[in-house]
Amino acid sequence: MPLDTSLSGVSVLVAGAGLAGLAAARDLADRGADVTIIEARDRVGGRVFTIRNGFAESQHGEAGGDMIDQGHEEVRRLTQELGLKLVPILHRGFGYARADSTGRVRIVQRNVARSWTRLAAQLEPFSRLYRLGERRWDTPITSEIARMSVAQWLDDVRADDELRATATGLRGFFLADSEELSLLALIDQFSDNGSPVPSRMSRVEGGNDRLATSIAAALGARVRLGTELAAVSHRGRGVRASVKSGRQTSQIQVDYLLFALPATLLRRIPITPALPAQQHEAIARLQYGRATKTLLQFARRFWRAPARPRAFGSPLPFGAVWEANEEQRGKPGILALLAGGAASNATADVVSREGVAGLARSLDWLGSRDQEVLGWRQVVWESDPWSRGGYAVFDPLFDPRLRGWLSQPCERLFFAGEHTSIRWQGYMNGAVESGRRAAAEIASTHRITI
Ligand SMILES: Cc1cc2nc3c(=O)[nH]c(=O)nc-3n(C[C@H](O)[C@H](O)[C@H](O)COP(=O)(O)OP(=O)(O)OC[C@H]3O[C@@H](n4cnc5c(N)ncnc54)[C@H](O)[C@@H]3O)c2cc1C
């Protein structure tokens, strides 16, 4: 049976119009399904959020997902399919900024690779065990590694200041401090993708949200904004969803339901009959990282200097910082500051105490002194009601044997979203891939059961 007709006459409700839900809805519609996609916000894209207002010269910046790496094949494929263009950015990679013994912030090295190599070498005994267990999350080896926090491990190996600073800098990537992060998350990262620092990065020309808005435009009236999934009942041969739109609640009856919501929101939705106990626990227990992203537009791009990177990791309160609109014309330029874990609160504190000027001052080491801030926007993702966090974080209390349950279909219910991806959790690529996977699962389930 050709794929494009295999779901003809089948109705599917997709909850959540982030990249996962939209990628799923697009594939389902292509297969001929009768798709409805509901989204609680008044916009599509979810954690991909391009901010276009508030900046001079029509510049824009990404308040959520920004960099698309070389290996992010699904998101690259989708970009191409939608006729969008990727523009390479930040080709000098990431440098590193740290306070010296006098407290002055300095760019300590041009390339962070050396610090990661040191960290990877220290982790090697655990990485080897993890590889022996074929990187599976259901082995006793993994359970043992998972219980340890990165902070405990640093104490155990009597880490020096440099190693600790490298680990602290990782909160800009994992969105969690060493105490909150399972050692397993770190081992998993280093034993697969190597250094967590992105390489050969790109972003979508005109804004990453074009991925979402292009799909939504093609789906047309099938996308219902301002509509929240409130409850689900999946007895018998169909699924009944209660959806809220303003003050109105209505029921939608479909053949299949695809959840593309962060676990933080999914766990608030009553599902009858309940999901299997382990699946329920996996969704209930999953933590999300704190992340504040600030976009600061300056009158000129003072941070540019010959041979100097335009992106920096740091263990400092402002987090990681990079040029957010290298590909856009104009004299002004935008810096993105991504503060993960405790840095998220620290950044918000600086702004509430000293205003945005205080935050700009903390970039003195890049030359921000006396530079005019033309515009700024800040998103505190843990305070965002429809994400309640940056992205999923595996903490030492999460039982790794539960991970597979996050993506496990249950009868007529299917699950997508960044947090369900094994290889690309925390990335736009994971969202897109998981959406396409869940759409394919529905198609297969349907073919098996008819
Ligand atoms: C600060 C930050 C920086 C990031 N940087 C990068 C990066 O550089 N590169 C990268 O690849 N990734 C990055 N990411 C991760 C990436 O943005 C996410 O992995 C991805 O966008 C998640 O997509 P999703 O579809 O799984 O979830 P979401 O985008 O969260 O989509 C879920 C949707 O469901 C909606 N929703 C929630 N509850 C309900 C409900 N009850 N009913 C209906 N709708 C509901 C939400 O409003 C949302 O639109 C970053 C994320 C953040 C927060």
Side-chain angles (χ1 to χ4, degrees), residues 16 19-20 39-41 46-47 66-67 229 260 386 417-418 426-428:
L19 287 188
E39 167 54 52
R41 301 178 202 260
R47 283 170 277 168
D66 188 359
M67 298 165 203
L229 179 65
W386 299 113
E418 151 280 306
Y427 292 106
M428 293 180 273

Side-chain angles (χ1 to χ4, degrees), residues 14-22 38-41 43-49 62-69 72 75 175 198 208 227-230 260-262 265-266 269 291-293 322 338 379 381 384-387 389-391 416-419 424-432 434:
V14 178
L19 287 188
L22 287 163
I38 55 170
E39 167 54 52
R41 301 178 202 260
R43 63 169 180 87
V44 295
R47 283 170 277 168
V48 172
F49 183 26
E62 302 297 340
D66 188 359
M67 298 165 203
I68 298 168
D69 289 15
H72 290 181
V75 79
L175 307 183
N208 286 346
T227 307
E228 176 192 342
L229 179 65
L261 317 170
L265 277 304
L266 174 55
I269 297 173
T292 293
K293 187 118 175 238
W322 63 89
L338 174 55
V379 176
W381 285 96
D384 178 297
W386 299 113
S387 65
Y391 38 82
E418 151 280 306
H419 64 287
W424 299 111
Q425 182 268 314
Y427 292 106
M428 293 180 273
N429 199 61
V432 172
S434 71

